[in-house]
Amino acid sequence: SQQGEEDPQALSIQEGENATMNCSYKTSINNLQWYRQNSGRGLVHLILIRSNEREKHSGRLRVTLDTSKKSSSLLITASRAADTASYFCAGGYNKLIFGAGTRLAVHP
Amino acid sequence: GAVVSQHPSRVICKSGTSVKIECRSLDFQATTMFWYRQFPKQSLMLMATSNEGSKATYEQGVEKDKFLINHASLTLSTLTVTSAHPEDSSFYICSADQGEGGYTFGSGTRLTVV
């Protein structure tokens, strides 16, 4: 099973630009999480936002959550080449269901 | 912080053989673990929820006789891919539920069936 689509599926930007990724989900959630995955590697947990929160910040990351629309967004500010990776949202109740993911490429 | 060790990281097996993948929580107890499969350039698909001391709960479309899950202790869950075929080649990742929305992931196992 999988959450809804992530938008965009792929994003290509220049270093220093901001990257915004959107996620829609289908299931009920008690929180929503964002993960990063470098090609063929394990997952890195980025940030968790609880269902009663609307916005959360962590360093260059900003996450929003709209439970009425079942959607979330991840903003990476001042992107770096090292941010190149796939980004996934994941949520659920007592288990994590992943979204389709966005492949981000940041060019020097 | 919490660590989940997944072993092996890579395995190549012949078609028709079985492969066992281990997922171990190193510094915490996990009554619940999860197994995911990821095909190239795709997302993680939840295969099953592994519960310590009871039968695993499989997601729709996942063959329970094909993917055997055993969660015999609070720190170890195993996934056995039985009678593997080339279409089972994939990246398998486990995670452990730490509670309160926290999940720790293993580093994954790349299975290649030849």
Side-chain angles (χ1 to χ4, degrees):
Chain A
S1 51
Q2 192 166 55
Q3 297 289 10
E5 291 300 313
E6 284 185 53
D7 168 34
Q9 291 184 353
L11 181 61
S12 181
I13 59 174
Q14 296 295 127
E15 261 191 332
E17 294 180 340
N18 295 341
T20 299
M21 290 160 268
N22 303 296
C23 154
S24 61
Y25 58 91
K26 299 176 183 174
T27 63
S28 299
I29 63 167
N30 50 5
N31 63 68
L32 190 120
Q33 307 186 34
W34 283 87
Y35 289 84
R36 164 199 167 119
Q37 184 183 38
N38 285 54
S39 179
R41 306 283 293 277
L43 293 171
V44 175
H45 180 262
L46 295 176
I47 194 166
L48 178 153
I49 184 166
R50 301 201 182 280
S51 58
N52 61 354
E53 296 176 307
R54 291 296 169 259
E55 187 170 312
K56 198 162 184 179
H57 297 255
S58 177
R60 294 186 295 115
L61 305 180
R62 173 180 168 253
V63 169
T64 64
L65 179 64
D66 187 334
T67 53
S68 67
K69 295 181 180 178
K70 291 194 168 184
S71 67
S72 175
S73 69
L74 170 68
L75 168 68
I76 303 174
T77 60
S79 63
R80 305 166 182 167
D83 294 329
T84 295
S86 290
Y87 292 83
F88 299 95
C89 70
Y93 223 93
N94 298 324
K95 60 183 177 181
L96 278 183
I97 306 297
F98 281 77
T102 294
R103 292 191 307 279
L104 173 66
V106 182
H107 302 285
Chain B
V3 176
V4 168
S5 173
Q6 187 172 342
H7 179 80
S9 58
R10 290 180 182 272
V11 58
I12 300 173
C13 72
K14 291 186 177 180
S15 189
T17 61
S18 295
V19 174
K20 181 185 283 188
I21 302 169
E22 291 189 350
C23 181
R24 198 178 294 270
S25 57
L26 296 186
D27 47 6
F28 66 101
Q29 294 182 332
T31 50
T32 304
M33 293 186 176
F34 305 90
W35 288 96
Y36 294 84
R37 178 169 55 180
Q38 184 181 32
F39 291 109
K41 297 190 177 181
Q42 294 188 24
S43 184
L44 283 75
M45 297 292 292
L46 179 64
M47 299 173 68
T49 302
S50 168
N51 301 295
E52 187 268 336
S54 64
K55 290 183 179 179
T57 304
Y58 290 81
E59 295 296 306
Q60 193 172 9
V62 178
E63 300 173 59
K64 58 184 67 177
D65 294 331
K66 171 82 173 170
F67 299 99
L68 300 179
I69 291 172
N70 184 280
H71 194 156
S73 79
L74 287 171
T75 59
L76 176 64
S77 175
T78 61
L79 168 69
T80 300
V81 183
T82 63
S83 187
H85 291 284
E87 57 265 30
D88 297 322
S89 297
S90 189
F91 193 56
Y92 293 86
I93 308 178
C94 69
S95 75
D97 186 351
Q98 294 177 252
E100 298 185 359
Y103 299 89
T104 301
F105 283 79
S107 54
T109 297
R110 185 159 304 284
L111 170 64
T112 303
V113 184
V114 297

